[in-house]
Amino acid sequence: MRSPQAALRDGETPSPRPRIQAHSPHHFQSTVSVQKLRRFNVLVLVLRVVAFCFSSASSIFMLVNPKGTDSPRWYDFDAFRFVLAANAIVTVYSLFEMAASVWEISGGVTLLPEILQVWFDFGHDQVFAYLLLSAESAGTELARTMKATDTCTANHAFCVQNEIAIALGFAGFLFLGLSSLLSGFRVVCFIINGSRFHL
């Protein structure tokens, strides 16, 4: 923008107010909103880490169930195979999302283009949360049924370890569900404002 003195020299009448550009090439963010954004991203990362820990622990507990000569195996039961598979899938997904969160916190940009990242996170959080809930519910029903039979009387450790694995899976579902709420918030912000945050 030219100074008022330069405008007077050229014979123009200077404007009492400076011109406002319609589209600024750089989006302004205050220090407060940057701090809020960072806190939000750290909260997302913490939820991802906790979901990863619970899901991986559930997978490990189911996988290393006591192995006696006459003890039943987890892979003999469809519901327990489902529990292991769902928790393993969520473990891998949570690991990817933790890496994406660290990338976003350290670099200030999303791993994928913003529109893809927002919908990817929300869609996969929803799908995997329901997958985990479904698997843990099936495992709980089988564990309850087995308690009424002689299987748990003869192989108490097998049943206890299955119950621990299922409980850990439910905890993983809880934290994945909380992550899903935050990713849903990001989707709504993106739809309304064209950006994943409005803080």
Side-chain angles (χ1 to χ4, degrees):
M1 191 172 103
R2 293 170 20 170
S3 68
Q5 290 82 13
L8 282 174
R9 269 186 266 135
D10 294 340
E12 295 177 13
T13 307
S15 173
R17 290 179 293 173
R19 292 182 188 154
I20 299 172
Q21 292 182 347
H23 299 287
S24 174
H26 301 290
H27 181 69
F28 174 75
Q29 281 190 326
S30 70
T31 307
V32 174
S33 66
V34 169
Q35 289 173 349
K36 284 182 179 179
L37 175 62
R38 187 168 181 80
R39 271 183 270 167
F40 185 88
N41 286 337
V42 168
L43 177 61
V44 170
L45 176 61
V46 167
L47 291 174
R48 302 282 187 203
V49 169
V50 175
F52 169 80
C53 291
F54 279 117
S55 295
S56 60
S58 176
S59 299
I60 291 167
F61 264 83
M62 187 61 75
L63 195 60
V64 298
N65 212 323
K67 295 180 173 102
T69 53
D70 57 347
S71 176
R73 309 273 192 235
W74 61 267
Y75 49 79
D76 294 331
F77 304 95
D78 289 339
F80 292 156
R81 286 200 306 260
F82 187 24
V83 168
L84 177 66
N87 280 291
I89 289 168
V90 170
T91 299
V92 172
Y93 169 69
S94 296
L95 190 61
F96 170 78
E97 285 294 337
M98 286 182 339
S101 292
V102 169
W103 178 275
E104 189 171 344
I105 290 169
S106 63
V109 295
T110 55
L111 188 62
L112 302 173
E114 187 175 21
I115 188 168
L116 290 177
Q117 188 74 51
V118 166
W119 286 105
F120 179 89
D121 292 348
F122 179 67
H124 285 83
D125 282 351
Q126 292 287 312
V127 168
F128 291 139
Y130 287 120
L131 175 72
L132 208 52
L133 181 61
S134 174
E136 305 312 328
S137 299
T140 301
E141 184 57 35
L142 178 59
R144 286 182 60 215
T145 303
M146 288 176 71
K147 270 194 166 182
T149 64
D150 293 336
T151 306
C152 284
T153 308
N155 302 289
H156 185 66
F158 173 78
C159 292
V160 168
Q161 195 151 341
N162 285 333
E163 290 168 0
I164 292 171
I166 292 165
L168 289 168
F170 272 120
F173 161 74
L174 175 68
F175 287 99
L176 188 58
L178 291 173
S179 297
S180 179
L181 288 175
L182 295 182
S183 61
F185 172 75
R186 292 172 89 170
V187 167
V188 170
C189 286
F190 190 82
I191 290 170
I192 293 172
N193 303 312
S195 175
R196 63 195 185 282
F197 291 108
H198 181 62
L199 300 172

